[in-house]
Amino acid sequence: MATFVLVPGVLHGGWWYRPLTGRLRAAGHEVYPVTLSGVSERGHLNNGAINLDTHVQDVLGLLEAEQVTDAVLVGHSYGGMVISAVADRAPERVAGLVYADAFVPRDGESAHAIVDDLWKQRYLAGAAAGNGHTMVGLHPALDPRATVHPMGTLLQPVRLTGAVDGIARRVYIHAERFEGTPFLETYERLRDDPTWAVHALPVGHDLVREAPEEFLKIMLAAAE
């Protein structure tokens, strides 16, 4: 059995994975849905000092405290930035990586640098509606539980040594109906790479709501 560590995207807490956590546990796996610093129930920690390194340390601290050595790290959207850095810094604790319509950064890239100009404008609009170091969600279809998100996490470049590339099981899920997706280039880069298992689903970005069965099946296969 594996240990799933579930990292959500911007504005979302570990609750985003709730429709799947019980089913993963019923299959015999350990499951840790993560809420990152400055978001959701940890929103009281939000300040100008929180950056990508903070979120990476959130997950590294969990792996160490729980003595996890077989983690299947699942990152949705922005969560791909986090799991990439975690796996690079502690590859001995990671058995597999699942990027759920997510960033797969290269060394020196930030989430802000990867996205196109339209998404850069959305980030800046969210920051302008917040307090400068905090981004708020402006999309009317967001889950009402979505909260603010530390802007520094999107601006800080990730530092990778290449150790993450040594993780044998790497899975990517592409959401084909995510209008204006910032991840198309990532999908096209990975889909013909034999070191990756790549899936394309005819759904939007909210995989838990729109494709729970397919998402669960892919996650379970990554643990085998």
Side-chain angles (χ1 to χ4, degrees), residues 82-183:
V82 179
I83 68 170
S84 292
V86 169
D88 194 74
R89 297 185 194 182
E92 71 283 359
R93 294 187 177 275
V94 179
L97 296 165
V98 178
Y99 292 82
D101 209 36
F103 292 112
V104 182
R106 290 165 284 203
D107 181 49
E109 291 183 329
S110 67
H112 183 267
I114 293 172
V115 300
D116 60 22
D117 289 342
L118 176 59
W119 279 94
K120 286 182 172 66
Q121 292 171 13
R122 291 178 180 177
Y123 286 171
L124 293 175
N131 59 12
H133 66 74
T134 295
M135 183 179 75
V136 301
L138 301 176
H139 197 290
L142 277 173
D143 189 292
R145 292 170 292 180
T147 65
V148 298
H149 188 95
M151 190 67 184
T153 65
L154 305 177
L155 299 176
Q156 184 185 20
V158 68
R159 296 302 175 194
L160 302 173
T161 67
V164 61
D165 297 328
I167 304 299
R169 282 177 282 171
R170 291 182 293 167
V171 180
Y172 192 83
I173 305 172
H174 173 61
E176 295 177 317
R177 295 180 183 171
F178 181 13
E179 185 176 353
T181 176
F183 306 121

